[in-house]
Amino acid sequence: MTNLYRLDAPAGAIAVAFDAEAGDDPWTGDYVAPGRPAPVIVSDGRGGSRRFLRPRLWGVPPPPQGTRPVTTVRNLQSPFWIGTLRHPELRCLVPATAFAEWSGAQGAKRQHWFSVASRPIFAFAGIQRQIEDWPGFAILTTDPNRLVAHYQPKAMPVILQAEDHDRWLTADWREAAALVAAYPGQSMTVGDAPP
């Protein structure tokens, strides 16, 4: 399960890459772990004609029986998630430059960094929730492609193709749900350190 990624680009460069307005987002580039702030891209809620960079915390409030923030979404049929997923204005793009997975036996785990070869900044499919004063986001996951499965057989983040960004932010759920799939492994790279 992904619980660490990097976004090694400042807010201005992210805004340019996603045709978004950065506003006064202070992001300068760093790693992102659960509970840490990071920028996400949201649409204006009116057909997605404008996009904005917004700071959010990685993790959304847990379900009633939970105690820890939820950072990834896997069960798309869960009553806890379906209401959020059906509303395009609650979906977001989560910019990243690489994500980490671990492999190996307990006590001897190795970290591996995955990136998209042709895109220095790419986007995960995300959702956002704000309950009281907790503006957070979570990343959707899916079955891993062959490259990621070699290191992490359980899941990988949903990486969106650039041409699908608008669909994720604006389409009805039936159309957007079709985007929840593994990114082609042949278009990715892996190494022991972030690219």
Side-chain angles (χ1 to χ4, degrees):
M1 179 176 73
T2 301
N3 61 14
L4 180 67
Y5 71 90
R6 293 203 64 86
L7 180 52
D8 292 319
I14 298 164
V16 168
F18 292 93
D19 193 25
E21 297 175 30
D24 57 1
D25 193 305
W27 185 261
T28 58
D30 204 348
Y31 75 93
V32 184
R36 286 184 54 108
V40 301
I41 304 215
V42 300
S43 72
D44 63 5
R46 292 170 288 195
S49 59
R50 291 175 68 193
R51 295 179 184 172
F52 304 91
L53 224 57
R54 295 289 184 253
R56 299 284 186 265
L57 296 177
W58 188 11
V60 298
Q65 70 276 19
T67 58
R68 298 175 60 184
V70 179
T71 58
T72 59
V73 178
R74 181 66 185 265
N75 180 1
L76 304 183
Q77 304 306 316
S78 166
F80 186 69
W81 299 119
I82 196 64
T84 302
L85 291 164
R86 286 182 179 157
H87 294 281
E89 67 273 12
L90 298 179
R91 294 185 220 132
C92 62
L93 304 175
V94 181
T97 53
F99 68 93
E101 297 291 357
W102 284 260
S103 68
Q106 193 68 24
K109 290 194 177 286
R110 288 185 54 207
Q111 190 177 62
H112 310 280
W113 287 92
F114 297 86
S115 59
V116 176
S118 63
R119 293 170 46 206
I121 307 173
F122 56 90
F124 302 129
I127 59 165
Q128 56 176 338
R129 278 192 173 173
Q130 177 153 351
I131 298 176
E132 296 175 5
D133 60 347
W134 187 344
F137 70 93
I139 296 169
L140 274 69
T141 62
T142 190
D143 292 333
N145 61 35
R146 287 181 63 190
L147 176 67
V148 176
H150 181 74
Y151 303 94
Q152 167 53 269
K154 294 181 180 176
M156 69 175 284
V158 173
I159 300 172
L160 296 168
Q161 299 282 357
E163 61 269 21
D164 292 329
H165 292 169
D166 279 337
R167 285 176 63 202
W168 181 252
L169 292 175
T170 63
D172 68 46
W173 176 234
R174 287 184 187 169
E175 185 179 347
L179 302 176
V180 179
Y183 196 82
Q186 65 271 21
S187 299
M188 297 177 67
T189 62
V190 60
D192 291 335

